[in-house]
Amino acid sequence: MTAYLMNRNSGSRLGTRRAAPPALVLVGHGSRDPRALSTVRTLMERIRELRPGLPVHLGHIELNEPLLPDTLAALGTGDAVLVPLLLSRGHHVKRDIPEAAAASSAHVRIAGPLGPHPLLVETLYERLVEAGWRAPDAVERRTSAVVLAAAGSRDPDAAVDTRRTAGLLAHRLGVPVVPAYASAATPTVTDAVRALAARGRPRIAVASYFTAPGRFATECTTAAPGLASAPLGAHPAMAHLALHRYDEAMAPTLAATA
């Protein structure tokens, strides 16, 4: 990754020197819950450990500092790839982040949101296991289900992405997985739990489809009838996924300079 581009200021005397790669800027939503900021900072450190030499920064859409415009301003006219710590398409991905990028002086590429992706499904599975989920036997499978609790959005593409993750998780678990939302979309977790129980599936777990702890994640956990997993958090797979999205955004440049 560090060898793809010659230093713009190197000149012929330093022809073998390579520029630092474009910075990876994690774009968090922001939360009043202090655990959210701590989680994102831990994720940043894991990314740095996986790829030493890659500059990694953080910018928030709201509620926490540094805000994304301030992070981009600090980069000046440097190169950066914005990696949203968001799990689906929606207003933040389509509007807020591009607008912040367009207003900055930095040379910016924007990666896709983290989801849907198989690495998220594996993280969801492991968080459920940590919370006490065990694979149901043949009898239990007929009465088991999972509610995938997500933030919610009015953008229909967000629901499409969440449903796709639910389908992948259902395949992984071998039981139905129903998306539910904390806001802006239906059903709620409570409604999804009630509907599943009415269909003869009382053994219900709630999978927390949030990148970090916060109000929505807490509300969804509280609505769980029993087992509820922790948010995705700083799971190692999340660091690998953030780097994967960075590499995807960089792929056209690498191909052009190959």
Side-chain angles (χ1 to χ4, degrees):
M1 221 8 133
T2 59
Y4 84 93
L5 184 66
M6 183 178 293
N7 190 319
R8 288 177 291 186
N9 299 319
S10 65
S12 59
R13 292 184 299 106
L14 300 175
T16 59
R17 289 184 60 183
R18 304 294 180 179
L24 188 162
V25 178
L26 294 174
V27 184
H29 181 278
S31 171
R32 293 184 177 87
D33 190 322
R35 296 174 298 170
L37 183 56
S38 175
T39 297
V40 175
R41 285 175 172 166
T42 300
L43 180 61
M44 287 177 62
E45 291 306 314
R46 289 194 165 170
I47 293 170
R48 287 168 176 154
E49 291 170 1
L50 286 172
R51 194 165 296 181
L54 175 64
V56 183
H57 304 280
L58 174 63
H60 292 96
I61 295 169
E62 59 182 357
L63 300 176
N64 289 125
E65 294 182 349
L67 292 172
L68 179 57
D70 296 330
T71 298
L72 292 175
L75 292 174
T77 59
D79 298 325
V81 176
L82 309 187
V83 178
L85 294 180
L86 301 169
L87 303 174
S88 62
R89 294 167 291 172
H91 183 81
H92 294 316
V93 170
K94 295 180 178 181
R95 294 286 300 278
D96 292 339
I97 295 174
E99 286 176 1
S104 77
S105 299
H107 302 145
V108 175
R109 300 174 182 85
I110 303 175
L114 297 183
H117 193 276
L119 283 172
L120 287 177
V121 174
E122 284 306 305
T123 305
L124 286 164
Y125 172 78
E126 291 189 22
R127 292 299 191 216
L128 282 167
V129 170
E130 290 169 0
W133 173 268
R134 58 180 175 80
D137 59 28
V139 174
E140 292 172 330
R141 188 172 291 113
R142 292 194 291 270
T143 61
S144 299
V146 169
V147 172
L148 182 67
S153 171
R154 293 182 179 87
D155 189 313
D157 286 337
V160 170
D161 291 343
T162 304
R163 286 196 298 270
R164 183 178 172 196
T165 297
L168 292 170
L169 184 59
H171 180 75
R172 180 71 175 83
L173 296 174
V175 301
V177 176
V178 176
Y181 305 96
S183 69
T186 56
T188 65
V189 172
T190 299
D191 289 343
V193 167
R194 186 181 297 115
L196 285 167
R199 287 161 46 190
R201 293 188 178 271
R203 184 176 183 262
I204 301 168
V206 171
S208 186
Y209 195 42
F210 298 91
T211 54
R215 178 170 66 90
F216 284 163
T218 300
E219 289 175 357
C220 290
T221 297
T222 302
L227 184 154
S229 67
L232 301 164
H235 189 284
M238 297 291 285
H240 285 284
L241 181 52
L243 285 169
H244 174 67
R245 293 302 190 211
Y246 173 93
D247 291 339
E248 282 184 330
M250 288 296 300
T253 297
L254 293 174
T257 58

